[in-house]
Amino acid sequence: FGSSHCGRSRKREQTERTPPARAAPRARAVFAPRSDAMSLKLQKRLAADIKKCGRNRIWLDPNEANEISMANSRFNVRKLIKDGLIIRKAVKMHSRARCRKNLEAKRKGRHMGVGKRRGTREARMPTKVLWMRRQRVLRRLLRKYRQQKKIDKHLYHYFYRH
């Protein structure tokens, strides 16, 4: 409980902590923004705020980049939105077609082998549930037979319990 180093010497602990020797740093390529392509970051941010969505949903007309770059205020961006140079894209679809296809296959028994199972047999389908189902089916049958007078109430009572 008391010692923090669990029997190891302090010297060894210090040597373990030293970082490995690093190679000399390589020269990093500097990517400066190209002079011909202007930055439309501000306009995109303002448009996203105005349209109440994320920046990825904002579409800026690439043909009108010069005009869009001139807009430096919310008022100007609103005007561009009205003119249709800035558009909020539709929400991307999240299709369940693949999921439905997989569930259909699972109903047929595919993808349910030993390697796909997480949990014991009891956890996946409790024996108690199986027992209850079986009992209910048999007792339903007994009730039907009693109503049809195929068995009397004494036999019904005997079979209900046993």
Side-chain angles (χ1 to χ4, degrees):
F1 276 108
S3 68
S4 62
H5 63 277
C6 303
R8 291 189 296 177
S9 68
R10 182 154 287 168
K11 182 98 172 152
R12 185 170 168 205
E13 235 175 65
Q14 286 170 353
T15 55
E16 282 178 13
R17 282 197 193 132
T18 55
R22 290 189 180 173
R26 286 185 288 172
R28 210 176 267 171
V30 179
F31 294 107
R34 295 197 323 252
S35 58
D36 58 321
M38 61 232 39
S39 177
L40 302 173
K41 249 177 154 177
L42 169 76
Q43 290 79 356
K44 194 161 234 190
R45 181 176 63 78
L46 291 175
D49 198 42
I50 291 163
K51 295 297 277 179
K52 294 182 173 63
C53 66
R55 290 173 207 171
N56 284 343
R57 277 188 69 194
I58 296 296
W59 177 83
L60 306 174
D61 193 343
N63 303 325
E64 304 292 338
N66 285 327
E67 198 175 330
I68 293 170
S69 67
M70 299 300 281
N72 58 358
S73 67
R74 285 171 187 273
F75 177 78
N76 292 341
V77 171
R78 275 196 197 93
K79 207 164 99 183
L80 292 173
I81 290 168
K82 201 176 84 175
D83 296 342
L85 302 184
I86 298 175
I87 297 171
R88 177 170 65 179
K89 290 190 274 192
V91 178
K92 289 191 179 82
M93 222 170 79
H94 188 168
S95 173
R96 282 192 54 82
R98 240 173 284 107
C99 182
R100 276 195 295 268
K101 195 182 89 178
N102 286 342
L103 285 174
E104 193 62 42
K106 278 191 175 184
R107 278 188 210 109
K108 291 178 180 176
R110 277 43 156 191
H111 319 292
M112 299 291 274
V114 178
K116 288 285 182 185
R117 295 178 201 168
R118 305 280 304 265
T120 61
R121 178 189 289 175
E122 189 66 21
R124 289 164 64 85
M125 190 71 244
T127 49
K128 183 180 178 177
V129 171
L130 293 172
W131 170 257
M132 280 160 45
R133 280 183 192 167
R134 198 176 314 128
Q135 287 305 303
R136 284 170 184 171
V137 167
L138 292 170
R139 286 169 181 179
R140 214 176 295 130
L141 194 68
L142 276 175
R143 268 196 300 278
K144 197 174 92 175
Y145 284 170
R146 188 182 58 181
Q147 278 179 338
Q148 292 173 352
K149 305 278 193 251
K150 286 186 177 179
I151 57 171
D152 64 333
K153 66 178 184 181
H154 302 292
L155 204 55
Y156 169 85
H157 188 72
Y158 173 79
F159 279 132
Y160 191 94
R161 276 276 149 237
H162 295 86

